[in-house]
Amino acid sequence: MHVTTPASSDPWLIVGLGNPGPEYAMNRHNVGFMVADLLAERIGGKFKRAGKAQAQVLEGRIGPAGPANRRVILAKPMSYMNLSGGPVNALKDFFRVPVANVVAVHDELDIDYGVLRLKLGGGDNGHNGLKSMTKAMGSDYHRVRFGIGRPPGRMQVADFVLKDFSSGERKELDYFVDRAADAVECLVIEGLERAQSAYNS
């Protein structure tokens, strides 16, 4: 797939995928929210409810002063994972974000825990959040895939992703979330190829 560099004046919509509510906060499925929260902390702002869009949103800028500085909209859909596409598409249209400037940050079963993979477009690999986004606006958006590994033994996938990270995993979770936030910033500021070479491990 040919990767084009979007116009520097176009905003970026960075979407952390997860489920709203304290009972889901530390679930593996909510790692997208964790990365979005860290990016918000770095920007120095707080998420606010975005009217009819069923999402929490923060507008800000990332990157050094000058041409590399980017306007970003951080978003956490509040619609539950399998309905993420509606809120994301509404925000994309409202802020006039090209589809190629949408970034979904999400958990990925087929990658080992903590490993990152960045890509543009592709399938949803059974991920309900991506499935909903693709149905709403097509598949030509960026993904920052955060590996959570496969469920142990015969545990069902649905049970696994809706469980909290294990105590062993939590020892490294902050580091991996920090690295994923770095990868998002690199993607937005320097482009996909640079981010892939730096963070696809």
Side-chain angles (χ1 to χ4, degrees), residues 104-121:
V105 185
H106 64 92
D107 57 304
E108 178 60 64
L109 286 159
D110 286 337
I111 303 175
D112 289 341
Y113 174 59
V115 173
L116 296 177
R117 292 278 189 278
L118 286 76
K119 66 180 216 174
L120 175 64

Side-chain angles (χ1 to χ4, degrees), residues 67-135:
N69 194 258
R70 298 285 183 264
R71 180 182 167 221
V72 297
I73 298 99
L74 292 178
K76 297 191 296 182
M78 294 285 114
S79 57
Y80 290 99
M81 182 70 85
N82 61 347
L83 298 172
S84 300
V88 174
N89 197 45
L91 291 171
K92 174 186 73 70
D93 290 347
F94 180 79
F95 289 104
R96 298 181 180 177
V97 179
V99 174
N101 277 28
V102 177
V103 182
V105 185
H106 64 92
D107 57 304
E108 178 60 64
L109 286 159
D110 286 337
I111 303 175
D112 289 341
Y113 174 59
V115 173
L116 296 177
R117 292 278 189 278
L118 286 76
K119 66 180 216 174
L120 175 64
D124 56 57
N125 205 22
H127 192 286
N128 288 331
L130 297 183
K131 196 176 292 183
S132 180
M133 283 181 60
T134 296
K135 185 177 179 184

Side-chain angles (χ1 to χ4, degrees), residues 37-54:
D37 285 337
L38 179 56
L39 287 166
E41 199 177 298
R42 291 181 180 184
I43 287 171
K46 292 192 184 304
F47 281 101
K48 294 178 182 173
R49 196 74 187 222
K52 298 176 182 177
Q54 267 195 298

Side-chain angles (χ1 to χ4, degrees), residues 112-180:
D112 289 341
Y113 174 59
V115 173
L116 296 177
R117 292 278 189 278
L118 286 76
K119 66 180 216 174
L120 175 64
D124 56 57
N125 205 22
H127 192 286
N128 288 331
L130 297 183
K131 196 176 292 183
S132 180
M133 283 181 60
T134 296
K135 185 177 179 184
M137 61 185 195
S139 64
D140 294 332
Y141 53 90
H142 286 86
R143 299 102 191 275
V144 175
R145 305 156 74 205
F146 186 111
I148 60 169
R150 301 293 304 186
R154 297 187 177 184
M155 185 186 290
Q156 294 296 310
V157 165
D159 294 333
F160 179 69
V161 299
L162 293 175
K163 282 193 183 308
D164 289 357
F165 285 102
S166 69
S167 56
E169 288 170 333
R170 281 201 294 273
K171 290 175 184 172
E172 296 182 289
L173 183 59
D174 286 349
Y175 168 75
F176 289 140
V177 168
D178 192 68
R179 191 164 180 270

